[in-house]
Amino acid sequence: MSENSQFTFGAATGVGSMPGGDAREAVKTVTGTFEDFPFLPELPARGPGADMIGRTAGMLVELYARVEPSGWRIGDRPGRDTKRARSWLGEDLDALEEFTQGYEGALKVQAVGPWTLAAGLELRNGEVALSDPGACRDLAASLAEGLRLHLAEVRRRVPGARLVLQLDEPSLTAVLRGQVRTASGYRTHRAVDRQVVEATLRDVLGVQTEGPVVVHSCAPDVPLALLRRAGAAAVSLDVSLLTERDDEAIGEAVEAGTRLFAGVVPGTDGPLSDPAGSVMGVRTLWRRLGLEPGLLAETVTVTPACGLAGASPAYARRALAHCVQAARSLADNPE
C-alpha cells in the first residue's frame, strides 16, 4: 500500500490482551500510557467470547460459532456465545470511544488471522477448518467482510484515528509445516501450500484500504518474506526467539521498508531490566545486520513480547510504561 510509507507509527504500543475484565479500566490504562499509539485492549479473562478465537469468531459474517467442550465450533445460527462475543466487543468499543474523544493519530485494533482461525475453529465433524480447503476459503471470506465492518465501526467512533490492523497468526508456522494436530491427537494435518497461505493472507490484508496491517506471532520462525509478499507493512514478533538464522530475512524485510514491532518486555510478571537493557537485543541485532543505527527509531516499535492476559494488573501497567521508556532509550541512544 503506497500510503504506508507515509504512515507514522508510534514508538511503542501493546500487543492486545490485558488482564482483568473491566473494559474502561483497560482502555484508560492503554490510552494514558500510549499517547501516540494506543490499541483496543482484549480481556480474555471475561470468559468464552472474550478469548482470542471467540472474539474474532464474533466478527464473522454469515458464519457463527459456539463453544463445545473441545473448543469453538462453527454452527448454523448465532447463539448465546456469538451474542456474548459481540456484546463484549461493543462494550470495549464504547470504552475506546469514551477515552479517545478528539484523538488524532495511530490506533491499533487486533483480530485473529485466517490461518490461526482455521487452526482453532472446528467444523461440525470435530476437525478444525484447516482440514477442509473449502472451509478455509469460506472462513477467510467471512473474516475479510467482518474485518471491513469492524474497521468501519472503529472509524465511525474515533474519526480522527489512523487505523492499524493487527492480525494475530501464532499458528501460521505450524500450518506451513504441517504441525497442527488432528482431533484425535495422533496425526497432524497436511501442510498448506505456501502460495495458498500467501494468497489468502493477501486477500484478508486487503480489507485495510486506508492504513497498514501488522501481522503478529510470538512463535519461533515467523515467515517474514511470505508476510511481506502478502502485503504486511509490519511484523510483530518476540525478539528473544530470534536467532542468527533469522538475520537475512530480517535484514531484507527492514531494507524493503517493513517495520518491526519488537517484543522485548516479558509478558508475565517478573523483574524488569532498565529500559536501555530491554532494547539491547535490538541494538545488537542492528549491529549484526550492519544497519544504520539512525534507522532504529524510524523502523522499530517497542512492545511486550506477547499479550499481557497472564500478567497481574500492576505488572501489566508497569510493562506498558516500560515499553514507552525503552522506545525513548532506543531513540535517544541508537548506538
Side-chain angles (χ1 to χ4, degrees), residues 59-99:
M59 296 181 192
L60 296 175
V61 173
E62 294 181 3
L63 277 179
Y64 312 102
R66 64 178 186 272
V67 179
E68 297 286 342
S70 54
W72 283 91
R73 182 171 295 184
I74 294 171
D76 296 321
R77 61 183 69 84
R80 179 179 57 190
D81 300 320
T82 298
K83 289 171 185 168
R84 188 190 298 122
R86 291 176 177 174
S87 173
W88 272 328
L89 180 58
E91 189 180 301
D92 297 342
L93 289 170
D94 288 345
L96 182 72
E97 185 175 3
E98 178 185 348
F99 285 99

Side-chain angles (χ1 to χ4, degrees), residues 155-166:
R155 285 189 186 101
R156 185 184 70 77
R157 288 172 177 260
V158 195
R162 300 190 308 279
L163 294 190
V164 177
L165 172 63
Q166 175 181 304

Side-chain angles (χ1 to χ4, degrees), residues 193-274:
D193 182 271
R194 295 182 79 87
Q195 289 182 318
V196 172
V197 169
E198 184 181 321
T200 301
L201 281 167
R202 187 179 298 113
D203 288 346
V204 176
L205 267 63
V207 306
Q208 168 66 321
T209 56
E210 298 178 30
V213 180
V214 50
V215 178
H216 167 73
S217 173
C218 38
D221 301 318
V222 178
L224 288 157
L226 183 151
L227 294 175
R228 201 172 78 241
R229 289 194 304 271
V235 177
S236 168
L237 39 73
D238 180 347
V239 169
S240 72
L241 298 178
L242 295 176
T243 69
E244 292 193 19
R245 287 200 323 268
D246 300 303
D247 282 4
E248 186 178 349
I250 289 175
E252 286 177 359
V254 169
E255 287 177 346
T258 304
R259 191 171 186 89
L260 287 184
F261 282 45
V264 298
V265 178
T268 51
D269 290 45
L272 292 170
S273 72
D274 67 291

Side-chain angles (χ1 to χ4, degrees), residues 143-215:
L143 174 63
E145 184 57 27
L147 288 173
R148 191 177 289 115
L149 294 172
H150 179 53
L151 290 167
E153 176 67 7
V154 179
R155 285 189 186 101
R156 185 184 70 77
R157 288 172 177 260
V158 195
R162 300 190 308 279
L163 294 190
V164 177
L165 172 63
Q166 175 181 304
L167 290 182
D168 294 320
E169 282 284 15
S171 300
L172 183 58
T173 301
V175 167
L176 289 164
R177 292 183 175 176
Q179 294 170 338
V180 177
R181 295 208 165 272
T182 58
S184 69
Y186 295 122
R187 295 185 301 109
T188 55
H189 293 287
R190 185 178 301 170
V192 181
D193 182 271
R194 295 182 79 87
Q195 289 182 318
V196 172
V197 169
E198 184 181 321
T200 301
L201 281 167
R202 187 179 298 113
D203 288 346
V204 176
L205 267 63
V207 306
Q208 168 66 321
T209 56
E210 298 178 30
V213 180
V214 50
V215 178

